[in-house]
């Protein structure tokens, strides 16, 4: 039922419509809307067409506005115009851009067949669309302040505004206030950065517009505090002005003194972006002072002031030397420049410590003054010395020092003084003999240099055939040719003078003679083969110094002195005569010798040599320090310390064999302990034999921290000597590891190997000797060896006289000792003992001095 009737209505409507079209001429406006709502500013075209059976009968088709005024066709001045359709009747009303006051009813009119009026109208309504009036897309709030984010919109009807930030809606709260035109952000912080979305909506029209507003919070520049900048003149330096701020600030540097912008100044560079200031080849005069750094960004411009301290290294620009006589006052002034003004002091170059300001504690005559002139940057140091002495003479270093550096300059004080002979006062006389000229030297000290004059008695000496002067200052030699004339052997006066005074000195010329006869000779110590003499020179001993003594000797049975042997000692050496034959009686004659020649021989007492006997007691050598032998330790109580815990090297010097060759040495050692003041021995090892080739023996496998008693005897065919006794205490614990000693040990090991090799060679030599001469023996060949080292020894002649005498076979040993300083041995550090060992009672220790026949004339 319902469906049927509905269908029917539609059908009727359709019929009505077509029926009307067909029947009634009328006008049609397209778009076909009774009311047209359009946005202001949009364009609109309304087409009016007749709907008539014969369109050609339509006339006067026109548009009229709301005031019923006809609207003209196109004219630029008109905001609205009409255009006719080409080829058919129809008028188009065109609004190029709708305005609000164009709203109203517009009517399209015409006539059909000249009589029937046609009419159609349309109502045009306008609205204003949403537009952003003031809503910049970038807005810059400043930190710490309130800021209004602008989003001002226009629209009719009025739109409403919504705010979003990061897709979250913003509502009014303690931070934000949402307003119709803006968003108030209170107390902006950097966290308020972001994109704010401003959305405008007109509910009625459904119009919606959004705008993204980028909010960038800005921070005014803030310059980090800067410290004073210190630069040394001539160097380059840079200062950094570091400011925070958003956007990052740019920088400017200004030298305050002349308000110069340093970005354009010579020697300066300004990095606008980083704030760095670079100063090249800094100058004190122009660069020292205050500088200003300005940091600027869109928010603010701030500045700060910084001090640049230019330091100048000290420079000494004046140091005058001083020359003044003794007892005068003098001063040495040193002037220096520097920033800050340096402190100026002095140091005598020969001393380490500089002088103190003010009076010196150790020398009240010396005073150091300092003065400053800060404006000029100068400082002066003055060293005042009163009552000048000669020791003040010398170089003085001026030291100028400030924080930038130090400068040195040497000046000198010259102390003038009258001539003096203080250092050459007690010269020995000058000797002349055999027509040799005497050479008198006069060397006074004086500043300025002295001029020298010589006097003989009261007469000034001129050159002649006796005298010749060489030089008259600062040194002068007087050469005297006395021609054996006694008058010239006298004293001469040397007179030195300069502008401060004069001084004179006497020099004696003496005639040289051979020494007088020796006044006394005593035998001091006798063994079977040796005699030690004590010699006293001539009584009135005022001649040339003695150089040597010579002894001539012969066995009593030889009547003539023609074949006498002789021996010469240098003056002061131990006067030991060796190689004598036991039980033989000798006659001796002694003479002294000086540069002129040898004096007369005089007889000394005859000596009958004792019988052969056991060797003398050997002497144990103790190395107290490295390379230094202490041979005072033969007292039985002495406990020497061994540097090692487990071994000890016993060393000794060869004793006198007393006429019978030493066969070997015997060594005993025991552990010894002291009980109630008495030594008790135990665990003894006895009778270790040591060949005579050696003068040392290594005791090993000892116990640490234990005292050993060591006895050493020398044995010859007659018997054993008295034992030399030594107590040694070994070191505690393991051997100390002394790095310095390791190479020494290894080098001594090498020496040991070398010595062993030499020994092997010697033994071979000895065997050769034996087979060639049939009277070999080690001693025989040793004899030959020592001859070589002692080839100046006149005594060797005496060996030849009695070659087969058995007692002479052993002589080399003491001789060898007496020449321990032969060059080969000097090179070996362990052989360096500079001791001469002769017998058990007398020890002659000389360090490095050449002894015996070496210095004989
Ligand atoms: C602004 O905020 C800062 C820290 O965010 C705060 O210290 C300051 O007191 C605030 N100022 C005002 C006026 O609220
Ligand atoms: C500048 O100062 C800031 C804050 O004190 C610091 O983090 C930055 O490292 C400084 N820049 C330079 C180049 O020193
Ligand atoms: C430096 O800042 C002070 C205030 O802090 C201002 O008076 C002065 O004019 C500024 N100087 C320059 C060169 O901008
Ligand atoms: C001072 O003496 C030194 C030499 O000792 C010399 O080099 C220097 O030139 C002298 N100074 C003056 C100012 O004469
Ligand atoms: C230092 O000596 C000079 C002459 O050598 C003299 O003119 C000057 O006055 C002296 N200065 C002082 C402080 O004694
Ligand atoms: C100067 O020094 C000497 C010693 O060097 C002294 O004997 C003398 O009294 C001093 N003179 C003065 C004036 O101090
Ligand atoms: C005098 O002795 C000196 C050194 O003492 C020497 O330099 C000079 O040459 C000698 N003169 C003569 C003529 O011998
Ligand atoms: C003083 O004598 C020395 C040594 O002969 C010489 O070097 C020096 O130049 C002399 N001085 C003067 C001022 O003549
Ligand atoms: C010492 O003896 C040698 C020969 O052995 C002889 O030539 C020399 O003249 C002698 N000297 C003295 C001072 O008798």
């Amino acid at each position: 039922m319902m469906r049927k009737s509905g269908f029917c209505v539609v059908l009727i409507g359709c019929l009505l419509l077509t029926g009307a079209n067909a029947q009634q001429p009328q006008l049609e406006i397209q778009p076909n809307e009774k009311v047209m709502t359009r946005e202001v500013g949009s364009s609109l075209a309304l087409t009016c067409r007749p709907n008539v059976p014969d369109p050609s009968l339509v006339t006067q088709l026109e548009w009229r506005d709301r005031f019923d005024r006809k609207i003209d066709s196109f004219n630029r001045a008109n905001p609205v115009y009409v255009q006719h359709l080409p080829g058919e009747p129809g008028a188009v009303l065109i609004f190029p851009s709708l305005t609000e006051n164009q709203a109203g009813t517009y009517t399209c009119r015409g006539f059909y067949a000249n009589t029937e009026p046609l009419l159609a109208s349309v109502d045009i309504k306008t609205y204003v669309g949403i537009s952003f009036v003031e809503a910049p897309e970038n807005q810059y709030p400043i930190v710490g302040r309130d800021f209004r984010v602008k989003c001002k919109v226009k629209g009719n009807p009025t739109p409403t505004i919504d705010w979003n930030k990061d897709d979250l809606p913003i509502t009014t709260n303690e931070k934000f206030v949402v307003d119709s035109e803006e968003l108030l952000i209170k107390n902006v912080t950097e966290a308020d950065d972001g994109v704010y979305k401003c959305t405008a909506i007109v509910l009625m029209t459904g119009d919606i517009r959004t705008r993204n507003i980028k909010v960038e919070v800005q921070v005014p520049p803030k310059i980090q505090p800067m410290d004073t900048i210190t630069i040394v003149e001539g160097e380059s330096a840079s200062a950094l002005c570091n400011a925070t701020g958003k956007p990052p600030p740019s920088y400017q540097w200004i030298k305050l003194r002349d308000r110069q912008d340093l970005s354009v100044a010579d020697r300066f560079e300004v990095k606008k972006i980083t704030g760095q200031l670079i100063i090249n080849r800094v100058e004190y005069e122009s660069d020292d002072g205050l500088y200003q750094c300005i940091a600027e960004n869109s928010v603010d411009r701030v500045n700060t002031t910084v001090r640049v301290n230019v330091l100048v290294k000290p420079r000494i620009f004046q140091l005058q030397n001083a020359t003044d006589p003794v007892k005068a006052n003098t001063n040495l002034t040193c002037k220096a420049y520097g920033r800050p003004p340096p402190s100026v002091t002095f140091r005598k170059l020969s001393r380490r410590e500089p002088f103190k300001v003010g009076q010196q504690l150790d020398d009240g005559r010396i005073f150091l003054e300092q003065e400053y002139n800060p404006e000029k940057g100068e400082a002066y140091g003055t060293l005042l010395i009163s009552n000048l002495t000669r020791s003040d003479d010398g170089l003085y270093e001026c030291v100028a020092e400030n924080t930038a550096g130090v400068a040195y300059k040497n000046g000198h004080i010259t102390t003038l003084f009258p001539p003096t002979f203080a250092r050459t006062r007690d010269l020995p006389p000058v000797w002349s003999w055999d027509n040799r000229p005497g050479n008198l030297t006069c060397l006074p000290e004086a500043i300025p240099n002295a001029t020298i004059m010589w006097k003989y008695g009261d007469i000034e000496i001129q050159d002649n055939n006796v005298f010749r002067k060489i030089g008259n200052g600062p040194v002068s030699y007087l050469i005297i040719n006395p021609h054996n004339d006694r008058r010239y052997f006298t004293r001469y006066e040397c007179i030195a003078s300069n502008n401060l005074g004069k001084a004179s000195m006497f020099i004696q010329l003496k005639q040289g003679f051979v020494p007088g006869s020796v006044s006394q000779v005593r035998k001091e110590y006798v063994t079977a083969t040796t005699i030690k003499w004590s010699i006293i020179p001539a009584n009135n001993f005022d001649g040339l110094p003695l150089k040597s003594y010579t002894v001539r000797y012969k066995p009593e049975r030889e009547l003539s002195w023609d074949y006498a042997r002789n021996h010469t000692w240098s003056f002061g050496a131990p006067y030991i005569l060796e190689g004598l034959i036991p039980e033989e009686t000798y006659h001796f004659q002694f003479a002294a010798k000086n540069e002129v020649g040898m004096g007369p021989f005089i007889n000394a007492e005859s000596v009958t040599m004792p019988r052969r006997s056991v060797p003398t007691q050997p002497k144990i050598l103790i190395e107290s320090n490295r390379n230094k032998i202490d041979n005072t330790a033969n007292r039985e109580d002495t406990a020497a310390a061994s540097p090692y815990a487990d071994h000890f090297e016993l060393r000794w010097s060869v004793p006198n064999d007393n006429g019978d060759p030493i066969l070997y040495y015997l060594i005993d050692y025991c552990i010894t302990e002291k009980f109630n003041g008495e030594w008790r021995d135990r665990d003894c090892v006895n009778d270790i034999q040591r060949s005579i080739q050696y003068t040392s023996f290594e005791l090993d496998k000892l116990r640490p921290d234990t005292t050993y008693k060591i006895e050493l005897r020398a044995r010859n065919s007659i018997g054993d000597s008295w034992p030399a006794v030594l107590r040694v205490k070994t070191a505690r614990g393991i051997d100390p590891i002394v790095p310095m000693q390791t190479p020494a040990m290894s080098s001594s090991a090498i020496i040991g190997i070398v010595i062993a090799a030499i020994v092997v060679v010697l033994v071979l030599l000895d065997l050769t000797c034996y087979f060639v001469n049939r009277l070999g023996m080690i001693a025989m060949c040793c004899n030959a060896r020592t001859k070589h080292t002692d080839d100046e020894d006149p005594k060797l002649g005496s060996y030849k006289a009695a070659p087969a005498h058995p007692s002479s076979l052993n002589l080399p040993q003491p001789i060898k000792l007496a020449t321990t300083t032969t060059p080969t041995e000097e090179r070996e550090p362990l052989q360096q003992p500079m001791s001469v060992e002769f017998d058990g009672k007398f020890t002659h220790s000389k360090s490095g001095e050449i002894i015996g026949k070496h210095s004989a004339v």
Side-chain angles (χ1 to χ4, degrees):
M1 260 289 278
M2 281 297 285
R3 230 192 286 162
K4 246 185 204 166
S5 62
F7 175 75
C8 201
V9 170
V10 172
L11 186 69
I12 289 167
C14 295
L15 285 173
L16 276 173
L17 212 67
T18 50
N21 272 356
Q23 292 168 1
Q24 200 81 43
Q26 56 181 334
L27 292 175
E28 273 178 9
I29 294 173
Q30 283 173 317
N32 190 6
E33 282 171 58
K34 272 272 150 250
V35 178
M36 301 211 71
T37 305
R38 286 292 186 273
E39 188 181 349
V40 170
S42 60
S43 35
L44 180 64
L46 298 171
T47 308
C48 178
R49 268 205 190 97
N51 185 2
V52 292
D54 185 357
S56 62
L57 297 180
V58 175
T59 54
Q60 292 178 44
L61 193 63
E62 61 185 16
W63 278 94
R64 286 190 175 256
D65 67 11
R66 53 188 168 137
F67 305 115
D68 203 28
R69 289 175 307 201
K70 183 184 170 204
I71 299 171
D72 292 333
S73 59
F74 175 73
N75 178 336
R76 255 181 220 287
N78 287 352
V80 57
Y81 60 91
V82 170
Q83 226 173 4
H84 289 278
L85 291 174
E88 58 168 316
V92 185
L93 177 65
I94 296 171
F95 297 89
S97 174
L98 267 179
T99 62
E100 259 177 301
N101 54 16
Q102 283 174 331
T105 306
Y106 288 79
T107 314
C108 176
R109 280 202 244 171
F111 291 97
Y112 186 64
N114 283 328
T115 54
E116 191 171 348
L118 300 174
L119 192 95
S121 63
V122 61
D123 224 4
I124 293 179
K125 286 193 173 168
T126 59
Y127 72 90
V128 180
I130 300 168
S131 63
F132 291 96
V133 179
E134 197 188 352
E137 290 185 348
N138 288 293
Q139 299 191 33
Y140 303 102
I142 291 167
V143 78
R145 305 191 196 159
D146 294 351
F147 185 74
R148 292 165 200 278
V149 185
K150 296 225 165 49
C151 186
K152 192 170 174 188
V153 297
K154 209 173 66 179
N156 188 10
T158 307
T160 57
I161 304 276
D162 270 344
W163 289 92
N164 269 278
K165 186 195 178 192
D166 302 333
D167 294 331
L168 294 173
I170 299 173
T171 53
T172 297
N173 56 20
E174 65 270 16
K175 178 78 189 171
F176 299 107
V177 175
V178 178
D179 193 1
S180 59
E181 293 190 342
E182 59 199 18
L183 171 68
L184 173 64
I185 307 175
K186 291 189 208 157
N187 192 10
V188 169
T189 67
E190 285 187 64
D192 295 329
D193 263 358
V195 175
Y196 289 70
K197 196 191 239 173
C198 165
T199 307
I201 304 175
V202 177
L203 293 176
M204 210 163 32
T205 59
D207 200 3
I208 177 164
R209 296 285 288 274
T210 63
R211 172 156 289 187
N212 288 330
I213 298 172
K214 196 170 169 203
V215 169
E216 279 181 86
V217 176
Q218 296 198 332
V219 183
K222 187 165 172 245
I223 302 177
Q224 309 289 327
M226 267 186 275
D227 292 333
T228 297
I229 296 158
T230 299
I231 323 172
V232 174
E233 188 179 51
E235 294 178 357
S236 294
S238 89
L240 185 69
C241 183
N242 183 8
T244 54
K246 226 172 107 184
S250 68
Y251 300 87
Q252 206 186 343
W253 276 93
I254 284 174
K255 193 191 275 183
L256 277 187
R257 161 202 307 230
D258 48 9
R259 307 217 60 85
Q260 188 183 22
D261 180 354
L262 296 177
S263 59
V264 294
D266 270 0
R267 299 191 293 108
F268 292 88
E269 279 173 60
V270 174
K271 309 271 191 210
K272 281 197 162 60
I273 310 273
T274 61
Q276 197 184 22
L277 171 70
I278 298 170
I279 315 180
N280 293 310
R281 302 184 306 282
V282 173
E283 293 170 3
Y284 175 81
E285 291 301 335
S286 64
D287 299 347
D288 187 77
L290 296 176
Y291 289 69
Q292 192 171 55
C293 166
I294 300 168
E296 181 172 19
N297 68 4
S298 46
V299 186
D300 205 356
R301 174 184 167 97
V302 297
N303 64 59
T304 191
T305 300
V306 64
R307 211 199 127 77
V308 171
N309 257 344
V310 178
L311 304 183
V312 181
K313 287 183 186 162
R315 201 172 63 238
I316 296 171
F317 62 90
Q318 196 187 79
L319 176 58
Q320 224 105 44
N321 297 325
T323 300
D324 281 297
V326 282
K327 295 195 173 69
N329 298 342
T330 191
N331 65 55
L332 210 54
T333 299
C334 180
K335 297 188 177 175
Y337 167 82
R339 300 284 181 170
S343 134
V344 180
T345 55
F346 282 93
R347 182 175 73 91
K348 192 160 200 255
L349 268 192
S350 55
R351 290 170 42 145
R352 185 179 304 177
E353 290 301 311
F355 292 108
K356 306 216 171 2
V357 178
Q359 193 166 34
Q360 306 308 301
L361 293 179
D362 56 345
D363 192 344
R365 301 174 303 122
I366 303 178
F367 198 90
L368 174 62
E369 251 178 29
Q370 286 180 332
E371 244 184 286
Y372 292 93
N373 186 336
E375 278 88 63
K376 290 166 95 177
E378 292 180 1
Y380 317 114
T382 306
L383 191 68
L384 298 149
I385 304 180
S386 52
N387 196 5
L388 204 59
T389 70
R390 283 183 55 193
S391 60
D392 296 323
D393 189 284
L395 284 174
Y396 290 75
E397 181 181 62
C398 168
V399 182
E401 185 171 15
N402 69 6
T403 47
V406 56
Y408 303 95
K409 194 180 175 91
N410 287 347
H412 61 75
I413 292 179
T414 304
T415 307
L416 305 179
F417 59 94
T420 166
F421 288 101
R423 281 199 215 160
T424 48
R425 180 66 63 192
D426 293 317
L427 285 184
V430 174
W431 300 90
S432 169
W433 65 92
D434 287 350
N435 270 331
R436 293 183 200 209
N439 180 351
L440 275 55
T441 302
C442 180
L443 179 54
E445 294 171 86
I447 299 180
N449 286 341
T451 48
I452 296 168
M453 179 181 104
W454 290 92
K455 273 190 170 177
Y456 170 56
D458 283 340
I459 306 152
E460 185 182 344
I461 292 174
Q462 304 297 340
D463 284 3
N464 56 27
N465 66 336
V466 176
F467 300 113
R468 190 156 60 88
K469 289 184 294 181
I470 302 176
N472 61 356
V475 61
S476 176
Y477 303 105
L478 180 63
I479 312 294
I480 305 170
N481 225 326
H483 302 297
N484 278 332
D485 188 336
R486 289 198 155 271
R487 283 180 303 159
Y488 297 119
F489 294 108
T490 177
R491 57 180 209 167
Y492 295 85
E493 190 178 14
C494 156
I495 301 167
S497 55
N498 67 7
N499 56 356
L500 296 176
K502 63 161 72 174
S504 83
M505 181 180 86
F506 289 99
I507 306 176
Q508 191 90 20
L509 180 67
K510 283 193 164 181
Q511 191 162 13
F513 298 100
V514 296
S517 49
V518 171
S519 85
Q520 198 192 341
V521 179
R522 270 188 309 107
K523 63 175 192 295
E524 213 168 66
Y525 185 76
V526 181
T527 72
T529 56
T530 65
I531 304 174
K532 180 165 191 263
W533 299 100
S534 143
I535 306 174
I536 296 168
N539 280 338
N540 46 356
F541 178 61
D542 66 343
L544 273 165
L546 294 184
K547 302 209 96 159
S548 62
Y549 287 117
T550 297
V551 63
R552 276 204 304 213
Y553 58 105
K554 66 173 180 65
E556 193 171 38
R557 55 190 151 79
E558 284 177 26
L559 296 178
S560 160
W561 282 93
D562 292 350
Y563 303 106
R565 276 134 274 177
N566 63 46
H567 182 80
T568 300
W569 303 279
S570 59
F571 184 74
Y575 307 121
I576 298 162
L577 186 61
E578 298 161 338
L580 301 169
I581 298 163
E583 295 174 67
E584 181 83 71
T585 301
Y586 287 98
H587 290 175
F588 300 95
Q589 292 188 330
F590 286 83
K593 188 175 175 187
N594 65 11
E595 238 176 299
V596 180
M598 191 176 286
F601 277 97
I602 59 139
N603 290 322
E605 59 182 323
S606 299
V607 179
T608 302
M609 303 308 287
R611 291 159 51 106
R612 270 172 280 173
S613 68
V614 297
T616 48
Q617 188 188 35
K619 186 84 176 173
I620 293 174
L621 304 174
I622 293 174
E623 207 163 332
S624 54
N625 274 327
R626 273 161 60 76
N627 295 342
K628 193 182 149 205
I629 300 283
D630 177 2
N631 50 19
T632 60
N634 217 8
R635 281 161 283 144
E636 296 202 359
D637 262 3
T638 310
S642 165
Y644 307 103
D646 63 346
H647 64 276
F648 176 74
E649 193 185 25
L650 179 68
R651 301 179 57 219
W652 62 88
S653 54
V654 177
N656 193 276
D657 65 9
N658 281 333
D660 195 81
I662 296 173
L663 299 172
Y664 45 80
Y665 299 102
L666 287 165
I667 297 154
D668 301 339
Y669 65 97
C670 306
I671 293 177
T672 185
E673 283 156 327
K674 206 163 195 176
F675 289 107
N676 303 328
E678 274 191 32
W679 290 102
R680 296 219 191 124
D681 303 339
R682 61 181 170 88
D683 297 345
C684 291
V685 180
N686 289 327
D687 293 341
I688 302 170
Q689 286 191 14
R690 188 69 170 157
S691 156
I692 56 153
Q693 292 156 11
Y694 303 105
T695 55
S696 69
F697 179 71
E698 178 150 311
L699 282 70
D700 53 9
K701 302 201 179 99
L702 303 182
R703 292 190 204 166
D705 200 19
T706 306
T707 305
Y708 284 88
K709 181 175 100 177
I710 305 169
E711 290 191 1
L712 172 73
R713 287 164 287 147
R715 173 171 289 178
N716 63 11
S717 63
I718 298 161
D720 289 356
S721 69
W722 283 101
V725 181
L726 177 72
R727 279 174 228 277
V728 173
K729 185 157 189 189
T730 49
R732 208 170 282 187
I734 48 166
D735 269 356
I737 297 154
V738 185
M740 284 297 291
Q741 276 179 346
T742 320
M745 286 305 294
S746 60
S747 68
S748 69
I750 289 165
I751 290 166
I753 291 165
V754 170
I755 290 173
I758 290 171
V759 166
V760 168
V761 170
L762 291 183
V763 167
L764 287 176
L765 262 174
D766 184 58
L767 286 174
T768 318
C769 269
Y770 181 79
F771 288 118
V772 172
N773 296 343
R774 290 275 143 201
L775 45 75
M777 314 293 290
I778 286 167
M780 185 62 194
C781 278
C782 289
N783 208 349
R785 283 202 315 276
T786 36
K787 265 181 212 168
H788 190 68
T789 56
D790 293 338
D791 45 20
E792 300 263 313
D793 190 351
K795 180 178 55 185
L796 287 173
S798 68
Y799 297 161
K800 281 190 199 127
H805 200 292
S807 67
S808 66
L809 297 182
N810 250 19
L811 287 168
Q813 301 287 17
I815 290 169
K816 201 175 177 189
L817 266 170
T819 57
T820 36
T821 50
T822 54
T824 36
E825 281 166 326
E826 262 169 2
R827 260 183 270 121
E828 299 172 5
L830 289 181
Q831 296 281 353
Q832 241 179 16
M834 294 180 185
S835 68
V836 171
E837 186 62 24
F838 176 62
D839 55 41
K841 282 185 186 160
F842 296 92
T843 305
H844 310 282
S845 170
K846 299 258 170 187
S847 329
E849 226 173 79
I850 298 172
I851 293 164
K853 47 198 82 77
H854 283 273
S855 52
V857 175

